Amino acid sequence: MTTLIDVPLLRVTAIRAALGSREVLRDVTLDVASGEVVGLLGPNGAGKSTFLRAVTALIPLTAGSVEVFGATLANLDRRALARGVAVVQQLPEAPPEMSVEDLVLLGRTPHLGLLGRESARDFAVTSEAMRRAGCEDLASRPLGTLSGGQRRRVFIARALAQEPRLLLLDEPTANLDVQAQYETFELLRALAADGVGVLVVVHDMTLAAAYCDRLVLLADGRVVASGPPAAVVTVDIIRSVYGNNVTVLAHPGTAFPIVVPVMVEEPHD
Amino acid sequence: MITRTEATAGVAAAVRASRATGIGPVALASSMLIVVAAFAVMMGASTIPPLTTLAIILDRLPFMTLAVDAPVGWQRIVLEVRLPRVLTAGLAGAALAYSGATYQGVFRNPLADPFLLGVASGAALGAAIAIMTPLDAGPYGFGWVPLFAFGGAALAVVIAYSAAHVGLARSNTSLILAGVAVSSVAGAVTSFIMLNGGERVLAIFAFLFGSFNTANWERAVLAIPYLAVGTAVIAIHGRLLNVLQLDEEQAAQLGVNVARTKLVLLAAASLVAATAVAMAGVIGFVGLVVPHLVRLLFGVDYRRVLPLSALIGASFLIGADVLSRTLLRPQEVPVGIVTAVIGGPFFLYVMRTRRIGGGL
């Protein structure tokens, strides 16, 4: 890695973006440095997915700036961007007949030459990515035969095959069982330990607080709070965004914040 | 980051993948094409013994000298009538299936065919104009119809593509709708011309269903450069077609310039399809069905789908042409009718017996 220590992998400064006539992002500022996992929180419609699309140049900015690896986003071509930044979408499409290995190999696309022929190294990186994401035993399976959790791992493997320095994930744990959720975040922590910067959109605040170094809470396109988990997941801040029927407890062992509903009436039987 | 054992595993995976995408199916399809083509050259209205036919052809190859004892008339029939006809049918079939596979890949839509953006209707209008206009001797002696057909096809695609520019991007839906609009306008004008066409209507009608009975060497040879350029451009984009099978956001996030790739692929595929239509008229079904058949039988990797579509498309159309000239001998059935009547039920059969993953 040749990253300069003080230059963040991703530096987003006061960006605005609109979908049609509706402004979806308003003055959003956010940094992701090498080796950290940053959680992006917020209610549905807060602008989290739009944020990921804006910082990967899929939609235009109306104001502000995005710098990736110290270069302005507008000056990076798609291929160069894809060699350093990988995205795991929420519900990515792919042909059900395509094999897992073929899909993960597509992660090598930005690294290949004009004729698109994969080298032995491309296959080696692909195998390693599948091993890391825990799907090497699925290599020859068609995508259409996978469970939801397996499918998530396969798309994370494809992102890893890009050999990214910055990894962006949109709700990678949605619809996963609790064990699979922990495994996903353990993987993100391990990647960060290797120097990758991780930005992950997540709804589960307890999970986010347990695994992320910093959290950024978006509401209505604005940053409401930003900082270490204990400073963001507080009763006052969470209620201001999600309403009064949530509260925050402290984990008995680690003091991590735990978000739970307020039980007004007696609990269900 | 990569250890020696991982590199070894990588090589093993590479071998596995090359075996999977390897030459087995291609060799099979090539052999089938040779057999079908040889059979097609032996079939015809005049009964020339099959071995004599082969001897006449082999005699013409370099370094081959057979003492062929055949009437000059037979030689003319084989070399000047049947051979260019089989070659033209093969080229047209390969071209239609190849461009059909490309269109289906670009649009991620199993209903896409090479005529989606107006190639067929534009070519038909061009041909109708050429047939109605009393231009007798065309350049190089092969008539104005192919040139007008090619021009009409190219113009239709350019108009449809330009008209589909809505906002920043050309969505697949707006491209398809623009193609439908251009096709219906061109079709209406063609119909109007036919209503007022008198006895020349039959020539236009023949073009609309395709035929190889005017095939000659000049036309086939003239088509080859266009087909070569178009297919070469598509061939080097085979892997990008695989990437495009994901949604367009994923393709962009993998570093692909989606808009430019689609433009290049559609332009090349339209060139190939327009050349086929100019050579042989409008032949439906091949471009729609053959790529499907290939994906059902051999999987979805476009680096394999493209060459296999070309080989099987060539065999299919050569075979259909044999039927078109022998079924109701001496009358010819338009080859487009044969492709639909044979291809439809066959495709339904394959679809029912090879149901994989429900996806096409």
Side-chain angles (χ1 to χ4, degrees):
Chain A
M1 297 281 165
T2 53
T3 324
L4 294 173
I5 298 298
D6 353 354
V7 180
L9 298 178
L10 176 67
R11 166 162 283 170
V12 179
T13 313
I15 61 165
R16 289 172 170 269
L19 296 179
S21 58
R22 196 169 69 90
E23 187 157 58
V24 183
L25 296 175
R26 308 165 195 212
D27 286 328
V28 177
T29 295
L30 185 159
D31 282 3
V32 179
S34 169
E36 68 172 348
V37 179
V38 177
L40 188 58
L41 302 172
N44 295 324
K48 304 182 298 294
S49 300
T50 305
F51 178 82
L52 293 189
R53 297 171 75 213
V55 301
T56 49
L58 289 178
I59 56 168
L61 304 176
T62 50
S65 73
V66 175
E67 287 175 31
V68 180
F69 313 139
T72 306
L73 185 62
N75 295 339
L76 284 168
D77 75 69
R78 279 217 170 286
R79 222 168 113 77
L81 189 68
R83 282 197 288 261
V85 182
V87 184
V88 179
Q89 290 180 353
Q90 209 178 125
L91 294 169
E93 289 176 31
E97 307 88 343
M98 189 181 272
S99 78
V100 167
E101 183 171 32
D102 285 344
L103 180 87
V104 178
L105 262 175
L106 293 185
R108 299 304 297 162
T109 302
H111 298 278
L112 299 180
L114 176 68
L115 294 179
R117 286 201 69 89
E118 294 98 347
S119 66
R121 181 173 186 279
D122 293 310
F123 283 98
V125 172
T126 299
S127 295
E128 169 61 11
M130 287 193 290
R131 191 193 62 74
R132 196 103 201 245
C135 59
E136 74 270 48
D137 52 328
L138 304 173
S140 57
R141 288 268 295 274
L143 294 173
T145 66
L146 302 181
S147 73
Q150 290 170 329
R151 192 177 168 91
R152 298 250 177 204
R153 292 208 292 278
V154 168
F155 279 92
I156 290 176
R158 191 187 73 199
L160 298 185
Q162 283 174 256
E163 298 182 288
R165 292 157 64 196
L166 177 65
L167 180 61
L168 312 176
L169 305 97
D170 195 353
E171 293 191 41
T173 53
N175 302 321
L176 291 188
D177 68 53
V178 75
Q179 187 57 39
Q181 292 186 15
Y182 297 160
E183 281 169 11
T184 303
F185 270 92
E186 297 287 352
L187 172 62
L188 300 185
R189 289 262 39 129
L191 292 168
D194 290 346
V196 176
V198 179
L199 177 67
V200 53
V201 171
V202 56
H203 270 301
D204 185 329
M205 286 173 280
T206 305
L207 195 62
Y211 284 101
C212 296
D213 298 296
R214 288 190 296 117
L215 300 178
V216 176
L217 177 58
L218 281 189
D220 201 20
R222 290 177 207 281
V223 176
V224 176
S226 163
V232 173
V233 185
T234 66
V235 175
D236 290 346
I237 293 174
I238 296 303
R239 284 192 175 167
S240 75
V241 172
Y242 292 95
N244 285 329
N245 62 345
V246 283
T247 191
V248 180
L249 309 176
H251 186 280
T254 61
F256 279 133
I258 299 175
V259 179
V260 292
V262 176
M263 301 297 181
V264 184
E265 303 292 322
E266 65 269 26
H268 301 282
D269 0 274
Chain B
M1 184 168 165
I2 292 163
T3 65
R4 180 177 285 265
T5 33
E6 281 159 8
T8 318
V11 172
V15 170
R16 208 163 57 234
S18 87
R19 198 179 300 140
T21 57
I23 57 164
V26 173
L28 194 73
S30 307
S31 319
M32 185 176 84
L33 176 57
I34 291 170
V35 171
V36 171
F39 176 74
V41 174
M42 295 174 201
M43 297 292 292
S46 31
T47 42
I48 303 172
L51 288 178
T52 312
T53 310
L54 280 187
I56 290 172
I57 294 168
L58 291 176
D59 188 45
R60 283 306 178 98
L61 293 177
F63 313 114
M64 293 279 282
T65 317
L66 302 174
V68 180
D69 182 24
V72 180
W74 285 9
Q75 302 216 16
R76 273 188 52 93
I77 287 173
V78 171
L79 295 175
E80 298 301 321
V81 179
R82 289 189 192 169
L83 212 49
R85 180 166 185 153
V86 169
L87 176 69
T88 305
L91 285 175
L96 290 171
Y98 204 83
S99 58
T102 308
Y103 265 79
Q104 288 173 10
V106 168
F107 286 100
R108 289 198 295 142
N109 188 330
L111 294 180
D113 79 359
F115 304 151
L116 193 69
L117 293 184
V119 166
S121 49
L125 179 56
I129 291 171
I131 291 166
M132 295 307 292
T133 317
L135 300 164
D136 282 339
Y140 313 109
F142 58 76
W144 287 98
V145 172
L147 281 187
F148 271 61
F150 185 82
L155 198 62
V157 173
V158 168
I159 292 172
Y161 194 84
S162 316
H165 197 151
V166 179
L168 279 172
R170 288 178 179 80
S171 76
N172 288 347
T173 311
S174 62
L175 275 169
I176 292 171
L177 288 176
V180 168
V182 169
S183 293
S184 51
V185 171
V189 176
T190 306
S191 299
F192 181 78
I193 291 175
M194 288 175 76
L195 281 174
N196 298 286
E199 64 201 17
R200 298 191 195 200
V201 163
L202 277 181
I204 301 175
F205 199 70
F207 185 88
L208 287 177
F209 282 96
S211 169
F212 296 107
N213 63 9
T214 57
N216 58 35
W217 284 108
E218 289 78 6
R219 221 184 262 185
V221 167
L222 188 79
I224 286 173
Y226 296 93
L227 297 178
V229 169
T231 49
V233 168
I234 294 167
I236 64 171
H237 284 77
R239 192 178 187 283
L240 285 183
L241 270 171
N242 288 344
V243 182
L244 286 182
Q245 299 319 295
L246 313 170
D247 54 69
E248 292 189 1
E249 283 204 359
Q250 287 182 74
Q253 286 163 344
L254 289 170
V256 176
N257 184 332
V258 175
R260 192 180 62 199
T261 305
K262 277 167 67 173
L263 173 60
V264 168
L265 283 169
L266 288 178
S270 301
L271 172 68
V272 171
T275 307
V277 173
M279 274 197 294
V282 179
I283 299 169
F285 223 74
V286 182
L288 177 67
V289 162
V290 171
H292 267 312
L293 192 66
V294 170
R295 277 196 305 269
L296 281 168
L297 296 174
F298 302 107
V300 291
D301 186 338
Y302 272 87
R303 287 176 289 187
R304 214 164 9 146
V305 170
L306 289 169
L308 285 171
S309 293
L311 290 167
I312 293 175
S315 301
F316 180 75
L317 204 47
I318 291 172
D321 181 50
V322 169
L323 290 176
S324 92
R325 57 195 158 95
T326 52
L327 275 180
L328 301 178
R329 199 158 29 181
Q331 195 198 335
E332 284 202 9
V333 182
V335 69
I337 292 176
V338 177
T339 57
V341 169
I342 305 286
F346 179 62
F347 179 62
L348 286 176
Y349 168 76
V350 172
M351 209 168 66
R352 289 191 67 85
T353 51
R354 290 291 302 255
R355 202 172 289 232
I356 36 172
L360 287 173

